[in-house]
């Protein structure tokens, strides 16, 4: 994990599996371009959870890529989500498909290999200082890892909101179930069934 001496918090975790993940994503043909099937899956995620934003997120050593993305207005800006780009994306209503690895909560989910429920990120000092809180306005997060048949954590599925959300146990079970469903779709695609 990296340490921020100004805030005295552990931030983005060290990801020793990233090189293996990148190789596996390349084998699967994932993580480098938007995928209409994954956009459809993200839209379904939003519908099932009632969240305004949802993503199918693949993570490499430096950044996150939303191969599947759903936003309330359906727009996806092309800029990266960091400082001024985040402000531009927010002002235009667009959301980028790229985000720095140290932004957001998905890198924690991938390294921990466990689902994460943050009903109000401001209730958790470790997560409240994340740049997505101030730059994008994220207040709640629900995400689960995508662990494939090789044991590789490929990325995550997640939903976020700009308001606190009571995801609860039902939300946790839902996101874990949907992650398992997407992993099965990825396996079928790899086996030539999709």
């Amino acid at each position: 994990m990296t340490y921020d001496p100004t805030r005295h918090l552990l931030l983005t975790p060290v990801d020793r599996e990233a090189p293996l993940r990148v190789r596996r994503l390349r084998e699967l043909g994932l993580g480098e371009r938007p995928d209409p099937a994954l956009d459809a899956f993200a839209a379904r995620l939003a519908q099932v959870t009632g969240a305004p934003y949802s993503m199918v997120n693949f993570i490499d050593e430096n950044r996150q890529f939303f191969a599947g993305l759903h936003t309330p207005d359906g727009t996806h800006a092309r800029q990266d989500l960091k400082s001024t780009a985040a402000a531009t994306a927010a002002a235009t209503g667009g959301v980028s498909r790229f985000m720095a690895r140290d932004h957001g909560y998905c890198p924690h989910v991938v390294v921990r290999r466990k689902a994460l429920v943050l009903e109000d990120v401001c209730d958790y000092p470790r997560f409240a200082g994340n740049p997505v809180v101030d730059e994008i306005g994220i207040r709640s997060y629900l995400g689960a890892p995508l662990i494939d048949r090789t044991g590789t954590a490929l990325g995550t599925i997640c939903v976020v909101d700009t308001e606190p959300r009571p995801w609860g146990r039902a939300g946790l079970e839902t996101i874990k179930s949907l992650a398992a469903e997407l992993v099965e779709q990825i396996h079928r695609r790899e086996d030539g069934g999709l």
Side-chain angles (χ1 to χ4, degrees), residues 3 24 94 102 104 129 140 152-153:
Y3 179 73
R24 182 67 176 136
D102 64 347
S140 61
T152 304

mmCIF file of all heavy atoms in Angstrom, residues 3 24 94 102 104 129 140 152-153:
data_model
loop_
_atom_site.group_PDB
_atom_site.id
_atom_site.type_symbol
_atom_site.label_atom_id
_atom_site.label_comp_id
_atom_site.label_asym_id
_atom_site.label_seq_id
_atom_site.Cartn_x
_atom_site.Cartn_y
_atom_site.Cartn_z
ATOM 1 N N TYR A 3 1.574 5.169 1.157
ATOM 2 C CA TYR A 3 1.306 5.918 2.368
ATOM 3 C C TYR A 3 1.313 7.399 2.044
ATOM 4 O O TYR A 3 2.232 7.890 1.387
ATOM 5 C CB TYR A 3 2.384 5.587 3.403
ATOM 6 C CG TYR A 3 2.237 6.329 4.712
ATOM 7 C CD1 TYR A 3 1.235 5.989 5.607
ATOM 8 C CD2 TYR A 3 3.110 7.351 5.045
ATOM 9 C CE1 TYR A 3 1.101 6.645 6.808
ATOM 10 C CE2 TYR A 3 2.989 8.006 6.248
ATOM 11 C CZ TYR A 3 1.981 7.657 7.129
ATOM 12 O OH TYR A 3 1.844 8.316 8.317
ATOM 13 N N ARG A 24 -3.379 -11.935 -18.753
ATOM 14 C CA ARG A 24 -4.639 -12.675 -18.852
ATOM 15 C C ARG A 24 -5.692 -11.859 -19.596
ATOM 16 O O ARG A 24 -6.429 -12.408 -20.431
ATOM 17 C CB ARG A 24 -5.132 -13.071 -17.452
ATOM 18 C CG ARG A 24 -6.398 -13.874 -17.448
ATOM 19 C CD ARG A 24 -6.208 -15.258 -18.053
ATOM 20 N NE ARG A 24 -7.447 -16.006 -17.938
ATOM 21 C CZ ARG A 24 -7.964 -16.738 -18.904
ATOM 22 N NH1 ARG A 24 -7.323 -16.896 -20.047
ATOM 23 N NH2 ARG A 24 -9.106 -17.361 -18.722
ATOM 24 N N GLY A 94 -20.328 14.056 -19.184
ATOM 25 C CA GLY A 94 -19.679 12.846 -19.666
ATOM 26 C C GLY A 94 -18.855 12.177 -18.591
ATOM 27 O O GLY A 94 -18.404 12.817 -17.651
ATOM 28 N N ASP A 102 -5.015 5.210 -8.764
ATOM 29 C CA ASP A 102 -5.151 5.658 -7.373
ATOM 30 C C ASP A 102 -6.478 6.367 -7.101
ATOM 31 O O ASP A 102 -6.704 6.871 -6.013
ATOM 32 C CB ASP A 102 -3.974 6.540 -6.963
ATOM 33 C CG ASP A 102 -3.896 7.839 -7.751
ATOM 34 O OD1 ASP A 102 -4.589 7.973 -8.781
ATOM 35 O OD2 ASP A 102 -3.130 8.729 -7.334
ATOM 36 N N GLY A 104 -10.631 6.020 -6.850
ATOM 37 C CA GLY A 104 -11.704 5.044 -6.698
ATOM 38 C C GLY A 104 -11.355 3.883 -5.787
ATOM 39 O O GLY A 104 -10.308 3.859 -5.136
ATOM 40 N N GLY A 129 -10.829 10.045 1.855
ATOM 41 C CA GLY A 129 -9.848 10.918 1.245
ATOM 42 C C GLY A 129 -9.533 10.590 -0.202
ATOM 43 O O GLY A 129 -8.690 11.229 -0.813
ATOM 44 N N SER A 140 -21.151 6.851 -2.504
ATOM 45 C CA SER A 140 -21.365 5.450 -2.139
ATOM 46 C C SER A 140 -20.830 4.555 -3.243
ATOM 47 O O SER A 140 -20.778 4.940 -4.411
ATOM 48 C CB SER A 140 -22.837 5.163 -1.858
ATOM 49 O OG SER A 140 -23.616 5.416 -2.988
ATOM 50 N N THR A 152 -7.213 -15.527 -11.449
ATOM 51 C CA THR A 152 -6.799 -14.139 -11.643
ATOM 52 C C THR A 152 -7.979 -13.204 -11.385
ATOM 53 O O THR A 152 -9.067 -13.412 -11.908
ATOM 54 C CB THR A 152 -6.291 -13.934 -13.086
ATOM 55 O OG1 THR A 152 -5.244 -14.873 -13.346
ATOM 56 C CG2 THR A 152 -5.791 -12.519 -13.297
ATOM 57 N N ALA A 153 -7.726 -12.175 -10.597
ATOM 58 C CA ALA A 153 -8.725 -11.122 -10.414
ATOM 59 C C ALA A 153 -8.578 -10.167 -11.600
ATOM 60 O O ALA A 153 -7.654 -9.360 -11.658
ATOM 61 C CB ALA A 153 -8.510 -10.392 -9.097
#
